[in-house]
mmCIF file with all atom_site columns, all heavy atoms in Angstrom:
data_model
loop_
_atom_site.group_PDB
_atom_site.id
_atom_site.type_symbol
_atom_site.label_atom_id
_atom_site.label_alt_id
_atom_site.label_comp_id
_atom_site.label_asym_id
_atom_site.label_entity_id
_atom_site.label_seq_id
_atom_site.pdbx_PDB_ins_code
_atom_site.Cartn_x
_atom_site.Cartn_y
_atom_site.Cartn_z
_atom_site.occupancy
_atom_site.B_iso_or_equiv
_atom_site.pdbx_formal_charge
_atom_site.auth_seq_id
_atom_site.auth_comp_id
_atom_site.auth_asym_id
_atom_site.auth_atom_id
_atom_site.pdbx_PDB_model_num
ATOM 1   N N   . MET A 1 31 ? 20.199 109.454 73.501 1.00 93.00 ? 31 MET A N   1
ATOM 2   C CA  . MET A 1 31 ? 21.484 110.096 73.276 1.00 93.00 ? 31 MET A CA  1
ATOM 3   C C   . MET A 1 31 ? 21.721 110.354 71.792 1.00 93.00 ? 31 MET A C   1
ATOM 4   O O   . MET A 1 31 ? 22.165 111.444 71.396 1.00 93.00 ? 31 MET A O   1
ATOM 5   C CB  . MET A 1 31 ? 22.613 109.230 73.846 1.00 93.00 ? 31 MET A CB  1
ATOM 6   C CG  . MET A 1 31 ? 22.608 109.099 75.360 1.00 93.00 ? 31 MET A CG  1
ATOM 7   S SD  . MET A 1 31 ? 23.774 107.847 75.978 1.00 93.00 ? 31 MET A SD  1
ATOM 8   C CE  . MET A 1 31 ? 25.347 108.641 75.606 1.00 93.00 ? 31 MET A CE  1
ATOM 9   N N   . LEU A 1 32 ? 21.413 109.369 70.969 1.00 93.00 ? 32 LEU A N   1
ATOM 10  C CA  . LEU A 1 32 ? 21.586 109.520 69.518 1.00 93.00 ? 32 LEU A CA  1
ATOM 11  C C   . LEU A 1 32 ? 20.616 110.552 68.949 1.00 93.00 ? 32 LEU A C   1
ATOM 12  O O   . LEU A 1 32 ? 20.990 111.363 68.098 1.00 93.00 ? 32 LEU A O   1
ATOM 13  C CB  . LEU A 1 32 ? 21.391 108.171 68.828 1.00 93.00 ? 32 LEU A CB  1
ATOM 14  C CG  . LEU A 1 32 ? 22.476 107.116 69.082 1.00 93.00 ? 32 LEU A CG  1
ATOM 15  C CD1 . LEU A 1 32 ? 22.050 105.777 68.505 1.00 93.00 ? 32 LEU A CD1 1
ATOM 16  C CD2 . LEU A 1 32 ? 23.808 107.556 68.479 1.00 93.00 ? 32 LEU A CD2 1
ATOM 17  N N   . ALA A 1 33 ? 19.380 110.511 69.420 1.00 93.00 ? 33 ALA A N   1
ATOM 18  C CA  . ALA A 1 33 ? 18.378 111.459 68.930 1.00 93.00 ? 33 ALA A CA  1
ATOM 19  C C   . ALA A 1 33 ? 18.774 112.887 69.289 1.00 93.00 ? 33 ALA A C   1
ATOM 20  O O   . ALA A 1 33 ? 18.660 113.797 68.449 1.00 93.00 ? 33 ALA A O   1
ATOM 21  C CB  . ALA A 1 33 ? 17.009 111.119 69.511 1.00 93.00 ? 33 ALA A CB  1
ATOM 22  N N   . PHE A 1 34 ? 19.237 113.092 70.511 1.00 94.00 ? 34 PHE A N   1
ATOM 23  C CA  . PHE A 1 34 ? 19.671 114.423 70.924 1.00 94.00 ? 34 PHE A CA  1
ATOM 24  C C   . PHE A 1 34 ? 20.858 114.886 70.077 1.00 94.00 ? 34 PHE A C   1
ATOM 25  O O   . PHE A 1 34 ? 20.879 116.036 69.599 1.00 94.00 ? 34 PHE A O   1
ATOM 26  C CB  . PHE A 1 34 ? 20.059 114.404 72.398 1.00 94.00 ? 34 PHE A CB  1
ATOM 27  C CG  . PHE A 1 34 ? 20.678 115.685 72.887 1.00 94.00 ? 34 PHE A CG  1
ATOM 28  C CD1 . PHE A 1 34 ? 19.878 116.729 73.301 1.00 94.00 ? 34 PHE A CD1 1
ATOM 29  C CD2 . PHE A 1 34 ? 22.057 115.837 72.939 1.00 94.00 ? 34 PHE A CD2 1
ATOM 30  C CE1 . PHE A 1 34 ? 20.437 117.919 73.744 1.00 94.00 ? 34 PHE A CE1 1
ATOM 31  C CE2 . PHE A 1 34 ? 22.623 117.021 73.374 1.00 94.00 ? 34 PHE A CE2 1
ATOM 32  C CZ  . PHE A 1 34 ? 21.811 118.063 73.783 1.00 94.00 ? 34 PHE A CZ  1
ATOM 33  N N   . SER A 1 35 ? 21.836 114.021 69.882 1.00 94.00 ? 35 SER A N   1
ATOM 34  C CA  . SER A 1 35 ? 23.023 114.381 69.103 1.00 94.00 ? 35 SER A CA  1
ATOM 35  C C   . SER A 1 35 ? 22.662 114.762 67.678 1.00 94.00 ? 35 SER A C   1
ATOM 36  O O   . SER A 1 35 ? 23.175 115.750 67.136 1.00 94.00 ? 35 SER A O   1
ATOM 37  C CB  . SER A 1 35 ? 24.017 113.210 69.089 1.00 94.00 ? 35 SER A CB  1
ATOM 38  O OG  . SER A 1 35 ? 24.404 112.868 70.396 1.00 94.00 ? 35 SER A OG  1
ATOM 39  N N   . PHE A 1 36 ? 21.785 113.981 67.062 1.00 94.00 ? 36 PHE A N   1
ATOM 40  C CA  . PHE A 1 36 ? 21.391 114.262 65.692 1.00 94.00 ? 36 PHE A CA  1
ATOM 41  C C   . PHE A 1 36 ? 20.645 115.587 65.588 1.00 94.00 ? 36 PHE A C   1
ATOM 42  O O   . PHE A 1 36 ? 20.919 116.405 64.696 1.00 94.00 ? 36 PHE A O   1
ATOM 43  C CB  . PHE A 1 36 ? 20.514 113.120 65.157 1.00 94.00 ? 36 PHE A CB  1
ATOM 44  C CG  . PHE A 1 36 ? 20.014 113.356 63.764 1.00 94.00 ? 36 PHE A CG  1
ATOM 45  C CD1 . PHE A 1 36 ? 20.864 113.214 62.674 1.00 94.00 ? 36 PHE A CD1 1
ATOM 46  C CD2 . PHE A 1 36 ? 18.702 113.720 63.528 1.00 94.00 ? 36 PHE A CD2 1
ATOM 47  C CE1 . PHE A 1 36 ? 20.413 113.441 61.382 1.00 94.00 ? 36 PHE A CE1 1
ATOM 48  C CE2 . PHE A 1 36 ? 18.235 113.949 62.252 1.00 94.00 ? 36 PHE A CE2 1
ATOM 49  C CZ  . PHE A 1 36 ? 19.100 113.804 61.164 1.00 94.00 ? 36 PHE A CZ  1
ATOM 50  N N   . ALA A 1 37 ? 19.708 115.817 66.497 1.00 93.00 ? 37 ALA A N   1
ATOM 51  C CA  . ALA A 1 37 ? 18.905 117.040 66.451 1.00 93.00 ? 37 ALA A CA  1
ATOM 52  C C   . ALA A 1 37 ? 19.777 118.276 66.651 1.00 93.00 ? 37 ALA A C   1
ATOM 53  O O   . ALA A 1 37 ? 19.644 119.269 65.919 1.00 93.00 ? 37 ALA A O   1
ATOM 54  C CB  . ALA A 1 37 ? 17.806 116.983 67.509 1.00 93.00 ? 37 ALA A CB  1
ATOM 55  N N   . VAL A 1 38 ? 20.687 118.226 67.631 1.00 92.00 ? 38 VAL A N   1
ATOM 56  C CA  . VAL A 1 38 ? 21.546 119.378 67.902 1.00 92.00 ? 38 VAL A CA  1
ATOM 57  C C   . VAL A 1 38 ? 22.505 119.630 66.743 1.00 92.00 ? 38 VAL A C   1
ATOM 58  O O   . VAL A 1 38 ? 22.710 120.776 66.318 1.00 92.00 ? 38 VAL A O   1
ATOM 59  C CB  . VAL A 1 38 ? 22.326 119.167 69.213 1.00 92.00 ? 38 VAL A CB  1
ATOM 60  C CG1 . VAL A 1 38 ? 23.381 120.253 69.399 1.00 92.00 ? 38 VAL A CG1 1
ATOM 61  C CG2 . VAL A 1 38 ? 21.379 119.154 70.392 1.00 92.00 ? 38 VAL A CG2 1
ATOM 62  N N   . THR A 1 39 ? 23.102 118.572 66.198 1.00 91.00 ? 39 THR A N   1
ATOM 63  C CA  . THR A 1 39 ? 24.040 118.728 65.087 1.00 91.00 ? 39 THR A CA  1
ATOM 64  C C   . THR A 1 39 ? 23.347 119.296 63.857 1.00 91.00 ? 39 THR A C   1
ATOM 65  O O   . THR A 1 39 ? 23.887 120.176 63.166 1.00 91.00 ? 39 THR A O   1
ATOM 66  C CB  . THR A 1 39 ? 24.686 117.378 64.744 1.00 91.00 ? 39 THR A CB  1
ATOM 67  O OG1 . THR A 1 39 ? 25.323 116.846 65.907 1.00 91.00 ? 39 THR A OG1 1
ATOM 68  C CG2 . THR A 1 39 ? 25.716 117.535 63.638 1.00 91.00 ? 39 THR A CG2 1
ATOM 69  N N   . LEU A 1 40 ? 22.156 118.814 63.582 1.00 90.00 ? 40 LEU A N   1
ATOM 70  C CA  . LEU A 1 40 ? 21.406 119.326 62.432 1.00 90.00 ? 40 LEU A CA  1
ATOM 71  C C   . LEU A 1 40 ? 21.067 120.798 62.623 1.00 90.00 ? 40 LEU A C   1
ATOM 72  O O   . LEU A 1 40 ? 21.157 121.601 61.680 1.00 90.00 ? 40 LEU A O   1
ATOM 73  C CB  . LEU A 1 40 ? 20.121 118.506 62.252 1.00 90.00 ? 40 LEU A CB  1
ATOM 74  C CG  . LEU A 1 40 ? 19.413 118.625 60.903 1.00 90.00 ? 40 LEU A CG  1
ATOM 75  C CD1 . LEU A 1 40 ? 20.312 118.154 59.775 1.00 90.00 ? 40 LEU A CD1 1
ATOM 76  C CD2 . LEU A 1 40 ? 18.122 117.812 60.923 1.00 90.00 ? 40 LEU A CD2 1
ATOM 77  N N   . LEU A 1 41 ? 20.709 121.165 63.853 1.00 89.00 ? 41 LEU A N   1
ATOM 78  C CA  . LEU A 1 41 ? 20.398 122.566 64.135 1.00 89.00 ? 41 LEU A CA  1
ATOM 79  C C   . LEU A 1 41 ? 21.640 123.438 64.006 1.00 89.00 ? 41 LEU A C   1
ATOM 80  O O   . LEU A 1 41 ? 21.601 124.526 63.408 1.00 89.00 ? 41 LEU A O   1
ATOM 81  C CB  . LEU A 1 41 ? 19.818 122.683 65.544 1.00 89.00 ? 41 LEU A CB  1
ATOM 82  C CG  . LEU A 1 41 ? 19.484 124.097 66.036 1.00 89.00 ? 41 LEU A CG  1
ATOM 83  C CD1 . LEU A 1 41 ? 18.397 124.718 65.161 1.00 89.00 ? 41 LEU A CD1 1
ATOM 84  C CD2 . LEU A 1 41 ? 19.038 124.052 67.493 1.00 89.00 ? 41 LEU A CD2 1
ATOM 85  N N   . LEU A 1 42 ? 22.763 122.963 64.537 1.00 86.00 ? 42 LEU A N   1
ATOM 86  C CA  . LEU A 1 42 ? 23.996 123.742 64.479 1.00 86.00 ? 42 LEU A CA  1
ATOM 87  C C   . LEU A 1 42 ? 24.512 123.899 63.055 1.00 86.00 ? 42 LEU A C   1
ATOM 88  O O   . LEU A 1 42 ? 25.176 124.894 62.738 1.00 86.00 ? 42 LEU A O   1
ATOM 89  C CB  . LEU A 1 42 ? 25.074 123.075 65.341 1.00 86.00 ? 42 LEU A CB  1
ATOM 90  C CG  . LEU A 1 42 ? 24.829 123.068 66.851 1.00 86.00 ? 42 LEU A CG  1
ATOM 91  C CD1 . LEU A 1 42 ? 25.914 122.281 67.559 1.00 86.00 ? 42 LEU A CD1 1
ATOM 92  C CD2 . LEU A 1 42 ? 24.755 124.484 67.395 1.00 86.00 ? 42 LEU A CD2 1
ATOM 93  N N   . ALA A 1 43 ? 24.209 122.924 62.202 1.00 83.00 ? 43 ALA A N   1
ATOM 94  C CA  . ALA A 1 43 ? 24.668 122.995 60.823 1.00 83.00 ? 43 ALA A CA  1
ATOM 95  C C   . ALA A 1 43 ? 24.120 124.215 60.103 1.00 83.00 ? 43 ALA A C   1
ATOM 96  O O   . ALA A 1 43 ? 24.737 124.723 59.164 1.00 83.00 ? 43 ALA A O   1
ATOM 97  C CB  . ALA A 1 43 ? 24.277 121.720 60.070 1.00 83.00 ? 43 ALA A CB  1
ATOM 98  N N   . PHE A 1 44 ? 22.980 124.717 60.542 1.00 81.00 ? 44 PHE A N   1
ATOM 99  C CA  . PHE A 1 44 ? 22.369 125.882 59.899 1.00 81.00 ? 44 PHE A CA  1
ATOM 100 C C   . PHE A 1 44 ? 22.887 127.196 60.471 1.00 81.00 ? 44 PHE A C   1
ATOM 101 O O   . PHE A 1 44 ? 22.497 128.265 60.005 1.00 81.00 ? 44 PHE A O   1
ATOM 102 C CB  . PHE A 1 44 ? 20.851 125.822 60.049 1.00 81.00 ? 44 PHE A CB  1
ATOM 103 C CG  . PHE A 1 44 ? 20.214 124.769 59.200 1.00 81.00 ? 44 PHE A CG  1
ATOM 104 C CD1 . PHE A 1 44 ? 19.926 123.520 59.728 1.00 81.00 ? 44 PHE A CD1 1
ATOM 105 C CD2 . PHE A 1 44 ? 19.917 125.014 57.866 1.00 81.00 ? 44 PHE A CD2 1
ATOM 106 C CE1 . PHE A 1 44 ? 19.350 122.530 58.942 1.00 81.00 ? 44 PHE A CE1 1
ATOM 107 C CE2 . PHE A 1 44 ? 19.326 124.034 57.079 1.00 81.00 ? 44 PHE A CE2 1
ATOM 108 C CZ  . PHE A 1 44 ? 19.041 122.795 57.610 1.00 81.00 ? 44 PHE A CZ  1
ATOM 109 N N   . THR A 1 45 ? 23.750 127.128 61.497 1.00 75.00 ? 45 THR A N   1
ATOM 110 C CA  . THR A 1 45 ? 24.291 128.363 62.063 1.00 75.00 ? 45 THR A CA  1
ATOM 111 C C   . THR A 1 45 ? 25.575 128.794 61.376 1.00 75.00 ? 45 THR A C   1
ATOM 112 O O   . THR A 1 45 ? 26.051 129.906 61.615 1.00 75.00 ? 45 THR A O   1
ATOM 113 C CB  . THR A 1 45 ? 24.570 128.196 63.568 1.00 75.00 ? 45 THR A CB  1
ATOM 114 O OG1 . THR A 1 45 ? 25.626 127.254 63.754 1.00 75.00 ? 45 THR A OG1 1
ATOM 115 C CG2 . THR A 1 45 ? 23.321 127.706 64.290 1.00 75.00 ? 45 THR A CG2 1
ATOM 116 N N   . LEU A 1 46 ? 26.167 127.908 60.550 1.00 67.00 ? 46 LEU A N   1
ATOM 117 C CA  . LEU A 1 46 ? 27.380 128.241 59.820 1.00 67.00 ? 46 LEU A CA  1
ATOM 118 C C   . LEU A 1 46 ? 27.038 128.637 58.387 1.00 67.00 ? 46 LEU A C   1
ATOM 119 O O   . LEU A 1 46 ? 25.924 128.396 57.911 1.00 67.00 ? 46 LEU A O   1
ATOM 120 C CB  . LEU A 1 46 ? 28.340 127.050 59.815 1.00 67.00 ? 46 LEU A CB  1
ATOM 121 C CG  . LEU A 1 46 ? 29.047 126.757 61.138 1.00 67.00 ? 46 LEU A CG  1
ATOM 122 C CD1 . LEU A 1 46 ? 30.006 125.595 60.968 1.00 67.00 ? 46 LEU A CD1 1
ATOM 123 C CD2 . LEU A 1 46 ? 29.807 127.977 61.642 1.00 67.00 ? 46 LEU A CD2 1
ATOM 124 N N   . PRO A 1 47 ? 27.999 129.213 57.652 1.00 56.00 ? 47 PRO A N   1
ATOM 125 C CA  . PRO A 1 47 ? 27.743 129.583 56.261 1.00 56.00 ? 47 PRO A CA  1
ATOM 126 C C   . PRO A 1 47 ? 27.439 128.368 55.405 1.00 56.00 ? 47 PRO A C   1
ATOM 127 O O   . PRO A 1 47 ? 27.516 127.220 55.856 1.00 56.00 ? 47 PRO A O   1
ATOM 128 C CB  . PRO A 1 47 ? 29.058 130.246 55.827 1.00 56.00 ? 47 PRO A CB  1
ATOM 129 C CG  . PRO A 1 47 ? 29.735 130.641 57.093 1.00 56.00 ? 47 PRO A CG  1
ATOM 130 C CD  . PRO A 1 47 ? 29.322 129.627 58.106 1.00 56.00 ? 47 PRO A CD  1
ATOM 131 N N   . THR A 1 48 ? 27.068 128.589 54.165 1.00 45.00 ? 48 THR A N   1
ATOM 132 C CA  . THR A 1 48 ? 26.790 127.508 53.235 1.00 45.00 ? 48 THR A CA  1
ATOM 133 C C   . THR A 1 48 ? 28.055 126.695 53.013 1.00 45.00 ? 48 THR A C   1
ATOM 134 O O   . THR A 1 48 ? 29.162 127.116 53.374 1.00 45.00 ? 48 THR A O   1
ATOM 135 C CB  . THR A 1 48 ? 26.312 128.053 51.887 1.00 45.00 ? 48 THR A CB  1
ATOM 136 O OG1 . THR A 1 48 ? 27.347 128.904 51.351 1.00 45.00 ? 48 THR A OG1 1
ATOM 137 C CG2 . THR A 1 48 ? 25.042 128.859 52.063 1.00 45.00 ? 48 THR A CG2 1
ATOM 138 N N   . THR A 1 49 ? 27.910 125.551 52.362 1.00 42.00 ? 49 THR A N   1
ATOM 139 C CA  . THR A 1 49 ? 29.041 124.632 52.203 1.00 42.00 ? 49 THR A CA  1
ATOM 140 C C   . THR A 1 49 ? 30.228 125.290 51.525 1.00 42.00 ? 49 THR A C   1
ATOM 141 O O   . THR A 1 49 ? 31.368 125.193 51.976 1.00 42.00 ? 49 THR A O   1
ATOM 142 C CB  . THR A 1 49 ? 28.598 123.392 51.389 1.00 42.00 ? 49 THR A CB  1
ATOM 143 O OG1 . THR A 1 49 ? 27.525 122.772 52.068 1.00 42.00 ? 49 THR A OG1 1
ATOM 144 C CG2 . THR A 1 49 ? 29.754 122.422 51.242 1.00 42.00 ? 49 THR A CG2 1
ATOM 145 N N   . GLY A 1 50 ? 29.978 125.991 50.433 1.00 46.00 ? 50 GLY A N   1
ATOM 146 C CA  . GLY A 1 50 ? 31.078 126.619 49.720 1.00 46.00 ? 50 GLY A CA  1
ATOM 147 C C   . GLY A 1 50 ? 31.774 127.674 50.548 1.00 46.00 ? 50 GLY A C   1
ATOM 148 O O   . GLY A 1 50 ? 33.002 127.745 50.609 1.00 46.00 ? 50 GLY A O   1
ATOM 149 N N   . ASP A 1 51 ? 31.011 128.518 51.217 1.00 46.00 ? 51 ASP A N   1
ATOM 150 C CA  . ASP A 1 51 ? 31.595 129.548 52.074 1.00 46.00 ? 51 ASP A CA  1
ATOM 151 C C   . ASP A 1 51 ? 32.364 128.935 53.234 1.00 46.00 ? 51 ASP A C   1
ATOM 152 O O   . ASP A 1 51 ? 33.408 129.439 53.637 1.00 46.00 ? 51 ASP A O   1
ATOM 153 C CB  . ASP A 1 51 ? 30.498 130.466 52.619 1.00 46.00 ? 51 ASP A CB  1
ATOM 154 C CG  . ASP A 1 51 ? 29.846 131.299 51.525 1.00 46.00 ? 51 ASP A CG  1
ATOM 155 O OD1 . ASP A 1 51 ? 30.516 131.521 50.494 1.00 46.00 ? 51 ASP A OD1 1
ATOM 156 O OD2 . ASP A 1 51 ? 28.683 131.710 51.698 1.00 46.00 ? 51 ASP A OD2 1
#
Side-chain angles (χ1 to χ4, degrees):
M31 293 170 69
L32 291 172
F34 173 85
S35 301
F36 178 75
V38 171
T39 303
L40 197 61
L41 178 63
L42 293 175
F44 288 96
T45 67
L46 287 182
T48 60
T49 302
D51 293 335

